Amino acid sequence: MAKLKTPRKVMIVSESDSFYQMIKSIMPPADFSPVFHATSGSDARRKLLELPVDILIVDSPLSDEHGVMFADSFADTNMGIMLLVQNDMYEQASSQVEEEGVVTLPKPVSPEIFYTACRMLSAMTFRIQKMEIEKKSLQDKMQDIRIVNKAKWLLIENEKMSEADAHKHIEKLSMDRRRSRREIAEEIIEEYE
């Protein structure tokens, strides 16, 4: 059975309303929705505080800042970022942001190439978001291990248990109380600190 795909939220940063309308018309609503519009870098920054998006499309130049610098400032997020620049600026702009994971396209761009680039950005953001979830899960597991180990050492110090006995003690309390090992460990830490 196929998974239901979540539409990608998009923000287009462009002074031009006609550019926004044209790009929005290329993107099928089933795959890209909602599509927000910001008319400047500062407008986009303000809206992005309230509207998390998956794909950020920057039509350079912007009225209030350089499009390359604007796109680069969001490179450490998990958004897919596309920068559209004038054809004569493409090589320079691309070399500035490529290592940050920003996709650069020269203007004018055909609707077919633009749509293909959006699909690639969408695939990239799905992968990045999946990796972020996996990373968070691993970080949580590592934190659980640290807390349980701290509780074991407190039991070893204060109750003169062996490490194996401290481990068994935490496991038994976890099963008896139907609570996670981390919750039991946190109680033990609280008791001895």
Side-chain angles (χ1 to χ4, degrees):
M1 183 154 101
K3 290 183 190 179
L4 290 176
K5 189 168 54 167
T6 306
R8 312 312 282 155
K9 296 180 197 104
V10 179
M11 178 171 289
I12 299 171
V13 185
S14 175
E15 284 184 271
S16 168
D17 187 59
S18 60
F19 178 83
Y20 162 72
Q21 294 297 337
M22 189 258 313
I23 295 301
K24 186 177 175 184
S25 71
I26 295 171
M27 306 174 90
D31 297 327
F32 302 97
S33 176
V35 179
F36 304 106
H37 182 211
T39 57
S40 66
S42 59
D43 183 31
R45 288 178 197 284
R46 190 176 62 256
K47 287 179 178 177
L48 286 168
L49 291 173
E50 300 168 12
L51 306 167
V53 299
D54 303 303
I55 297 175
L56 180 64
I57 299 169
V58 181
D59 177 26
S60 184
L62 301 175
S63 62
D64 58 346
E65 62 184 292
H66 198 285
V68 172
M69 287 187 249
F70 174 81
D72 193 42
S73 71
F74 289 96
D76 62 346
T77 67
N78 61 1
M79 289 186 280
I81 303 171
M82 181 187 303
L83 175 64
L84 292 114
V85 297
Q86 292 299 329
N87 196 29
D88 60 336
M89 297 293 296
Y90 173 74
E91 287 299 324
Q92 180 185 357
S94 181
S95 67
Q96 285 181 272
V97 295
E98 186 176 275
E99 289 183 11
E100 298 299 324
V102 175
V103 174
T104 309
L105 292 177
K107 293 190 293 187
V109 62
S110 74
E112 295 81 15
I113 290 174
F114 179 81
Y115 178 72
T116 300
C118 284
R119 296 305 265 182
M120 285 194 252
L121 272 178
S122 180
M124 185 173 72
T125 59
F126 275 118
R127 181 171 285 209
I128 289 170
Q129 290 168 350
K130 183 179 175 185
M131 288 189 309
E132 287 288 326
I133 291 167
E134 291 170 0
K135 176 183 165 189
K136 173 82 170 98
S137 175
L138 286 173
Q139 288 172 332
D140 290 346
K141 287 177 185 175
M142 287 172 41
Q143 186 63 18
D144 289 351
I145 290 168
R146 285 188 197 103
I147 290 170
V148 170
N149 283 340
K150 183 175 182 176
K152 281 197 286 189
W153 287 111
L154 286 169
L155 289 172
I156 290 167
E157 271 182 30
N158 295 294
E159 300 297 328
K160 308 302 181 217
M161 293 182 180
S162 69
E163 185 176 354
D165 288 341
H167 182 80
K168 286 177 189 171
H169 180 72
I170 293 170
E171 288 285 327
K172 182 168 180 1
L173 288 175
S174 174
M175 287 190 306
D176 290 349
R177 296 180 186 173
R178 298 176 197 265
R179 298 182 60 211
S180 72
R181 291 183 322 130
R182 180 177 178 156
E183 290 172 316
I184 298 301
E186 287 170 340
E187 288 175 8
I188 291 168
I189 292 167
E190 192 175 307
E191 179 182 336
Y192 289 107
E193 287 191 340

